[in-house]
Amino acid sequence: MLNRKTTRRSTLKALGATAILTGTVLFAGQALAADYTLSVNTALATTDPLYKGLEALQKNVAEASGGRLEVKLFPNSQLGPDEDVLEQARAGAPVAVVVDGGRLAVFQHEFGVLGAPFLASGYDGIRKVVTSDMFEDWVTKLHDNGNLQVLSFNWWQGERHLLTQKEINTPADLSGIRMRTPGAPVWTGTISAMGATPTPMPWGEVYSALSSHVIDGAEAQFPAIVGAKLDEVITHITKTGHINLITGLVTSGPWFDTLPPDLQKILREESLKAGDVASYGTQDSLASIEQKLKDKGISVREVDVTPFKEATATVYDDLGYGELRDTLRAMAAN
């Protein structure tokens, strides 16, 4: 019997082959009425503010395209880990995923800088970066070199903080802590520089890994903490804001190229609008989520982040982002 992962990959491959050959998608054995269908995967739960943006995208694309293009949503990584979905997209499957720049850096180096430590704070500054002409040049290169098409990259999920079972005040306090992080070099490099031992694993496995003490901690933004119910398996949140998590909606380059020009335009324009819905919704939710975590007995503390900034300063140069850091920080602050 095929295992679940093999079956999922086979299903995605079948989706891609059907879409390319016929221009329509068969999903779950039934023909869809739309001429084109895009299946969007996200690791986040339906309660996450970002998901509201995806719902807006689904509705607005259907209306703007007159029903010719349908967006289907798959929360909680129903189509698999982000890396698997990206590979299926590169192969031509009509799938998209909400993904950070670090995972795209293996295909186009510049994207990795978006996940580098203390690049910018909040949404408005980083939005300037991901809607700039310079960023659009990266988008073109990613399409040509990586077979991936960015629809928009203004899906802000908040600043990421440290989640542990003990109080953290300085990088030295992270010594010996096995901390979950995505596997991209910019993430593992940041966590290592902060003093912890980076332990890559899919987001969906974090709860059980913390419960069984396979890992000692994690790092995440407030909406993801409650969405994954991590408040049940951690006791301390240290507000470092070490990574300002800006993510993008990324689909298959080959599949995108099969769309009529008007549908390509609709998909990119509506994705940008929906990204703002998601991001400002996230921004508006943070104070309420933080208070709910405190009400549940979680210690949520501010600390002096200067030692963490100093500890991670070398990450940019180690990964070849030194010049970009200065350019992007100036752009975000302007």
Side-chain angles (χ1 to χ4, degrees), residues 84-157:
D84 288 357
V85 180
L86 278 177
E87 283 304 313
Q88 295 305 320
R90 294 185 70 221
V95 294
V97 61
V98 179
V99 67
D100 63 272
R103 290 185 175 94
L104 300 178
V106 296
F107 310 112
Q108 192 60 43
H109 179 69
E110 293 91 338
F111 278 86
V113 74
L114 298 174
F118 301 104
L119 179 65
S121 59
Y123 176 53
D124 290 334
I126 199 67
R127 189 187 189 281
K128 296 174 187 176
V129 172
V130 297
T131 57
S132 67
D133 291 340
M134 180 178 65
F135 183 80
E136 191 60 27
D137 182 56
W138 301 356
V139 171
T140 300
K141 291 178 179 177
L142 180 66
H143 175 280
D144 295 344
N145 300 331
N147 281 351
L148 293 169
Q149 175 65 50
V150 171
L151 299 179
S152 70
F153 220 90
N154 62 323
W155 298 72
W156 184 71
Q157 298 187 36

Side-chain angles (χ1 to χ4, degrees), residues 100-103 112 115 160 180-192 198 219 221 242-243 245 315 319:
D100 63 272
R103 290 185 175 94
R160 289 173 78 91
R180 181 271 174 184
T181 186
V186 69
W187 291 81
T188 57
T190 296
I191 297 307
S192 179
E219 44 90 40
Q221 63 279 13
H242 52 278
I243 290 175
L245 185 56
V315 172
L319 297 176

